[in-house]
């Protein structure tokens, strides 16, 4: 299925193998492979000149700043390559953090560039991508040209007897007019069939070649895994702070009822008897009958146990307030190093973790501890919400 106006699915009447040669993705990726050769040639030449000039001048003071400027130029080329991958391959690679020195000044910047792994990875990309670009250019262009030429052979077969003094494509020729030529109707049709096979095969070949380019761009031109993880942790810290503030406001609102306040605090039954007893207790307060099944070999870490308890509590409150269900079920089990929770109800469905909803906040809380929340709630029901948490026992 494809999107016609961004929202309405449009059915395809041809299988993917027949659509592929004419799809925009194929031609964008083919264009990427063709452009890679001239761009990578320039980048490779620049990288070699940078290494040669910088290394040659290392015996003098100028070698270090020249090498740093060369690496900075490679990072500039990396911006071009990321933009090209974004436009033609649909690959959105975040820009790595710029090289900044601990202090202001030229030498501090030079040191930061030379110590940056990102800078050297950009240089490595410039060196490695050139031979790959040559290979991908030759293979993709050769297969595409030969495939379309053979497929269209019945249309231009007349060129040989009219202008080349031979009856067709020569499989073998001794130069005197004797040999084997593709000139009978059967041979011409067979040639077109071979061409059709190549035409149908080329898009998948092009996609395979483009996949290697994707891996090179992601692996060498993006931020490091450590930098990405630090960014994620900083984002998660913000979520945790916001969640804590929201919990504090909720507790303050509930101060008028000691019962609501008690439900928002880590219950003693969870500490003493674990998830089975604690979840059975909150299930008994739900407005619909709830079946609880907990199958755990042992207890997870206390923090994870608490998050699991509050997750189920929030989901059962949603069932009570919004689902219009007649029954619900809570299941808890362990899979390898993950704790899984599943809450199912037979209500009206339509639950959605859009921004601002309680489910959205719950998903953010789980994400802060490397957990995930999956919602399956078609209109008319039933609703199944699955939460996954690290075990950390």
């Amino acid at each position: 299925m494809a999107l016609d106006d961004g929202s309405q699915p449009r059915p395809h009447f041809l299988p993917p193998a027949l659509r592929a040669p004419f799809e925009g993705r194929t031609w964008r990726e083919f264009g990427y492979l063709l452009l890679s050769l001239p761009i990578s040639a320039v980048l490779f030449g620049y990288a070699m000149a940078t290494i040669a000039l910088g290394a040659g001048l290392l015996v003098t003071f100028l070698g270090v700043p020249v090498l740093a400027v060369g690496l900075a130029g490679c990072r500039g080329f990396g911006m071009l390559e990321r933009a090209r991958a974004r436009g033609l391959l649909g690959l959105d690679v975040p820009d790595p953090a710029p090289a900044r020195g601990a202090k202001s000044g030229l030498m501090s910047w030079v040191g930061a560039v030379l110590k940056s792994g990102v800078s050297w990875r950009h240089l490595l990309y410039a060196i490695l991508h050139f031979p790959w670009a040559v290979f991908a250019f030759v293979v993709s262009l050769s297969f595409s040209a030969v495939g379309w030429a053979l497929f269209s052979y019945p249309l231009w077969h007349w060129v040989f007897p009219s202008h080349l003094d031979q009856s067709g494509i020569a499989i073998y020729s001794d130069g005197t007019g004797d040999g084997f030529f593709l000139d009978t109707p059967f041979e011409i049709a067979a040639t077109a069939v071979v061409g059709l096979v190549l035409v149908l095969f080329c898009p998948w070949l092009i996609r395979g070649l483009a996949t290697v380019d994707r891996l090179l761009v992601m692996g060498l031109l993006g931020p490091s895994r450590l930098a990405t993880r630090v960014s994620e942790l900083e984002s998660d810290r913000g979520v945790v702070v916001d969640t804590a503030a929201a919990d504090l406001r909720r507790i303050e609102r509930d101060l008028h009822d000691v019962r609501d306040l008690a439900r928002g605090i880590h219950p003693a039954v969870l500490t003493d008897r674990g998830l089975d007893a604690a979840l059975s207790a909150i299930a008994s307060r739900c407005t619909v009958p709830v079946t609880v099944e907990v199958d755990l070999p042992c207890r997870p870490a206390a923090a994870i146990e608490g998050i699991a308890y509050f997750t189920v509590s929030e989901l059962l409150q949603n069932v009570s307030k919004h689902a219009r269900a007649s029954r619900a079920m809570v299941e808890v089990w362990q899979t390898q190093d993950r704790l899984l929770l599943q809450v199912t109800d037979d209500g009206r469905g339509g639950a959605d973790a859009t921004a601002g909803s309680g489910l959205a906040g719950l998903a953010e809380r789980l994400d802060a501890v490397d957990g995930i929340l999956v919602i399956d709630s078609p209109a008319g029901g039933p609703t199944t919400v699955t939460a996954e948490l690290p075990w950390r026992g």
Side-chain angles (χ1 to χ4, degrees), residues 253-262:
R253 289 196 305 267
D254 290 340
L255 283 176
H256 69 279
D257 193 329
V258 179
R259 292 172 299 172
D260 288 341
L261 179 62

Side-chain angles (χ1 to χ4, degrees), residues 207-355:
R207 292 183 185 185
L209 296 173
T211 297
V212 177
D213 276 282
R214 286 187 174 91
L215 294 175
L216 286 172
V217 173
M218 286 191 298
L220 296 177
L221 298 185
S224 66
R225 292 184 178 180
L226 178 59
T228 301
R229 184 55 182 160
V230 169
S231 178
E232 291 176 351
L233 290 175
E234 289 177 347
S235 176
D236 290 345
R237 181 179 62 183
V239 171
V240 170
V241 171
D242 292 341
T243 300
D247 287 342
L248 179 59
R249 289 193 298 269
R250 178 175 58 83
I251 291 175
E252 290 172 346
R253 289 196 305 267
D254 290 340
L255 283 176
H256 69 279
D257 193 329
V258 179
R259 292 172 299 172
D260 288 341
L261 179 62
R263 293 174 187 176
I265 299 176
H266 199 82
V269 65
L270 177 62
T271 303
D272 296 338
R273 300 173 56 190
L275 275 175
D276 195 354
L279 296 183
S280 297
I282 60 174
S284 65
R285 298 196 297 267
C286 190
T287 58
V288 300
V290 180
T291 302
V292 178
E293 293 185 3
V294 178
D295 182 14
L296 298 177
C298 57
R299 296 180 65 170
I304 298 301
E305 201 172 50
I307 294 172
Y309 171 83
F310 288 114
T311 298
V312 174
S313 176
E314 291 280 349
L315 293 175
L316 289 182
Q317 286 186 35
N318 285 343
V319 172
S320 297
K321 295 177 180 179
H322 309 296
R324 299 181 185 174
S326 60
R327 63 181 181 275
M329 183 172 187
V330 176
E331 297 175 274
V332 184
W333 71 97
Q334 181 188 9
T335 299
Q336 296 180 349
D337 60 345
R338 307 291 285 181
L339 175 66
L340 281 87
L341 321 168
Q342 192 168 84
V343 177
T344 307
D345 68 75
D346 61 352
R348 60 179 178 173
D352 185 16
T354 54

Side-chain angles (χ1 to χ4, degrees), residues 75 94-100 116 118-119 222-224 227:
R75 291 177 67 123
D95 294 335
R100 292 193 179 96
S116 171
V118 171
S119 302
S224 66

Side-chain angles (χ1 to χ4, degrees), residues 20 23 250 361 385:
E23 287 183 333
R250 178 175 58 83
V385 180

Side-chain angles (χ1 to χ4, degrees), residues 170-200:
I171 300 300
Y172 161 75
S173 176
D174 59 6
T176 63
D178 294 329
F180 181 71
F181 300 92
L182 302 175
D183 53 6
T184 68
F186 173 77
E187 292 166 351
I188 294 174
T191 301
V193 170
V194 172
L196 177 61
V197 172
L198 289 177
V199 166
L200 297 178

